[in-house]
């Protein structure tokens, strides 16, 4: 007898960015009605039993025509005014889609809100900032974004800013690239701890990782990162980092991006098997324990395997964990329970 579908809570997607980009291009698309260009929308979420997740607000590189195909240019600094403008646009997208959903999507500000949304069969949307350029050196925006619902923040994307240094997408490579957090970055960690905003270590370089580990009194979290030993991207986590996350009772969310799964680092080859995805999950469980592993798909922000091409197909990964011998208790934890437990341990 086949096992039932499980609700899935996902630690990272870029769907709000896709919606905001479409609006700015003069061709808005609907999350509620669904759109072929989206890997997450409400019809696909319903089909795939997607219960919700951390919805990232990432400011894309502001490039001229000559820079659009230059990978180095993609990592150039973002002006604070552009960052604020884009972030406000994505918060507005979240508010609009919540309103348009007639109760089927809710912006959640706590783990209790998420549990209630799941009980009511509404999609739980929690706001996350990926790269803190919009915060600014005076931290006033942090207070405003928190009031709007921000509950998770990555100090950097894979580019440097006033808070710290990100890791580039080189392969092979080590996350030990560049200096640690700036004084402002250290203050950002302290203020997030005080407010109840989770610090996300994905994209942060290794020295910055250890700075957070020393400063933060909360569990260490990498919302969408994989195992460096299996795929030697700079973006993936070393055994030493995984040990520190385990010691803090933190969590790592499996990133579906093919370049962070494959041993050859190929970024656009989508013929990645469920077996390889579960290999990363199994390694993470071995290092972090059964309570320290979740999903962090990076849908709408990355090239993902064809076998899980959008959120409607996520149950295939759930079933393959079962096929590989993961017990039902562990599968449920990875699917949604570990993220809820992590948010509670973080005070959210």
């Amino acid at each position: 007898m086949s096992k039932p579908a499980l609700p899935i809570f996902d630690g990272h997607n870029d769907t709000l960015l896709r919606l905001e980009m479409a609006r700015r291009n003069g061709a808005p698309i609907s999350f509620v009605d669904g759109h072929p260009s989206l890997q997450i929308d409400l019809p696909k979420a319903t089909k795939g039993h997607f219960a919700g997740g951390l919805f990232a607000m990432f400011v894309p590189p502001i490039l001229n025509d000559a820079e659009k195909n230059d990978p180095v240019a993609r990592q150039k600094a973002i002006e604070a005014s552009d960052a604020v403008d884009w972030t406000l646009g994505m918060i507005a997208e979240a508010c609009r889609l919540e309103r348009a959903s007639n109760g089927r999507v809710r912006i959640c500000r706590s783990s209790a809100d998420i549990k209630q949304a799941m009980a009511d069969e509404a999609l739980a949307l929690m706001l996350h900032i990926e790269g803190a350029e919009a915060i600014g050196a005076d931290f006033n925006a942090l207070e405003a974004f928190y009031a709007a619902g921000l509950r998770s923040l990555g100090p950097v994307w894979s580019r440097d800013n006033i808070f710290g240094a990100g890791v580039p997408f080189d392969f092979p490579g080590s996350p030990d690239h560049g200096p640690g957090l700036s004084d402002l970055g250290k203050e950002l960690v302290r203020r997030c701890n005080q407010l109840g905003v989770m610090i996300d270590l994905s994209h942060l370089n290794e020295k910055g990782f250890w700075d957070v580990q020393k400063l933060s009194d909360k569990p260490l979290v990498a919302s969408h990162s994989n195992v460096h030993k299996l795929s030697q991207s700079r973006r993936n986590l070393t055994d030493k980092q995984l040990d520190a996350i385990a010691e803090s009772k933190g969590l790592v969310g499996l990133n579906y991006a093919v370049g962070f799964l494959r041993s050859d680092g190929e970024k656009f080859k989508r013929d990645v098997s469920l077996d390889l995805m579960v290999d990363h999950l199994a390694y993470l469980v071995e290092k972090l324990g059964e309570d320290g592993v979740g999903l962090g798909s990076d849908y709408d922000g990355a090239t993902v395997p064809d076998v899980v091409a959008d959120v409607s197909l996520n149950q295939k990964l759930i079933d393959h964990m079962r096929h590989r011998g993961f017990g039902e208790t562990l599968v449920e934890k990875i699917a949604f329970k570990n993220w809820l437990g992590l948010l509670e341990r973080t005070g959210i």
Side-chain angles (χ1 to χ4, degrees):
M1 181 181 297
S2 62
K3 297 285 179 67
L6 292 176
I8 291 174
F9 189 89
D10 186 287
H12 189 86
N13 68 68
D14 285 291
T15 306
L16 292 177
L17 174 62
R18 295 297 165 202
L19 294 170
E20 176 65 0
M21 290 177 73
R23 186 189 69 81
R24 288 179 181 236
N25 289 333
I29 56 181
S30 173
F31 180 90
V32 172
D33 296 333
H35 194 273
S37 69
L38 292 173
Q39 292 174 320
I40 298 178
D41 57 32
L42 195 53
K44 295 184 186 79
T46 301
K47 183 177 179 181
H49 298 266
F50 178 76
L54 297 172
F55 279 63
M57 297 180 291
F58 164 66
V59 179
I62 311 298
L63 305 176
N64 59 42
D65 288 341
E67 294 172 323
K68 287 183 178 177
N69 294 316
D70 181 354
V72 175
R74 282 179 51 80
Q75 293 170 237
K76 73 178 185 178
I78 294 290
E79 294 293 332
S81 58
D82 290 325
V84 170
D85 178 52
W86 276 87
T87 302
L88 289 174
M90 286 179 274
I91 291 173
E93 286 292 343
C95 294
R96 282 190 287 266
L97 72 87
E98 180 184 47
R99 187 165 57 249
S101 75
N102 293 318
R104 290 177 290 167
V105 178
R106 293 182 193 168
I107 297 174
C108 295
R109 291 169 168 80
S110 67
S111 53
D113 286 351
I114 294 170
K115 289 179 179 179
Q116 189 60 57
M118 291 177 67
D120 296 340
E121 298 185 349
L123 190 152
L125 184 161
M126 184 167 276
L127 293 173
H128 164 82
I129 280 180
E130 183 176 32
E133 287 90 350
I135 299 300
D138 60 12
F139 299 102
N140 288 336
L142 179 62
E143 298 285 348
F145 293 146
Y146 180 82
L150 178 71
R151 292 298 182 271
S152 176
L153 179 150
V156 300
W157 182 65
S158 289
R159 62 189 173 214
D160 298 354
N161 62 27
I162 62 173
F163 301 110
V167 288
F169 295 101
D170 298 348
F171 184 96
S174 164
D176 186 9
H177 172 88
L181 294 180
S182 67
D183 288 343
L184 282 172
K186 293 174 183 177
E187 182 62 18
L188 177 64
V189 172
R190 296 186 191 101
R191 293 192 183 221
C192 286
N193 275 187
Q194 292 164 3
L195 272 178
V197 174
M198 186 181 80
I199 295 291
D200 183 10
L201 299 164
S202 290
H203 289 284
L204 188 61
N205 69 356
E206 189 169 3
K207 288 185 176 66
F209 177 102
W210 296 118
D211 284 338
V212 174
Q213 188 256 352
K214 291 172 186 172
L215 287 165
S216 180
D217 57 6
K218 306 295 184 183
L220 300 176
V221 181
S223 68
H224 59 303
S225 295
N226 294 341
V227 177
H228 192 268
K229 193 167 185 178
L230 300 181
S231 176
Q232 294 178 4
S233 167
R234 288 190 191 273
R235 272 277 285 105
N236 286 340
L237 297 163
T238 66
D239 282 0
K240 186 177 179 182
Q241 290 174 303
L242 294 175
D243 289 340
I245 294 170
E247 185 177 351
S248 76
K249 300 189 183 326
L251 183 143
V252 175
L254 178 78
N255 192 325
Y256 295 9
V258 297
F260 306 144
L261 290 165
R262 299 176 64 104
S263 62
D264 60 10
E266 288 286 349
K267 298 175 183 176
F268 303 109
K269 291 187 176 180
R270 299 191 298 270
D271 58 337
V272 170
S273 68
L274 290 169
D275 262 334
L276 182 55
M277 298 179 75
V278 177
D279 285 346
H280 279 264
L281 285 170
Y283 194 98
L284 290 171
V285 170
E286 179 182 343
K287 297 294 290 183
L288 301 170
E290 293 198 357
D291 296 332
V293 184
L295 303 176
S297 66
D298 215 349
Y299 276 137
D300 288 314
T303 301
V304 303
D306 284 334
V307 70
V308 286
D310 62 55
V311 76
S312 72
L313 301 172
N314 246 342
Q315 295 298 321
K316 290 186 176 183
L317 179 58
I318 299 299
D319 286 338
H320 203 71
M321 283 189 264
R322 292 164 170 155
H323 174 73
R324 285 277 297 268
F326 286 33
E328 196 64 14
T329 298
L330 175 57
V331 176
E332 288 180 357
K333 286 182 174 184
I334 293 172
F336 69 98
K337 288 184 175 179
N338 282 346
W339 268 116
L340 296 182
L342 180 282
L343 291 169
E344 288 176 345
R345 293 195 299 279
T346 307
I348 295 173

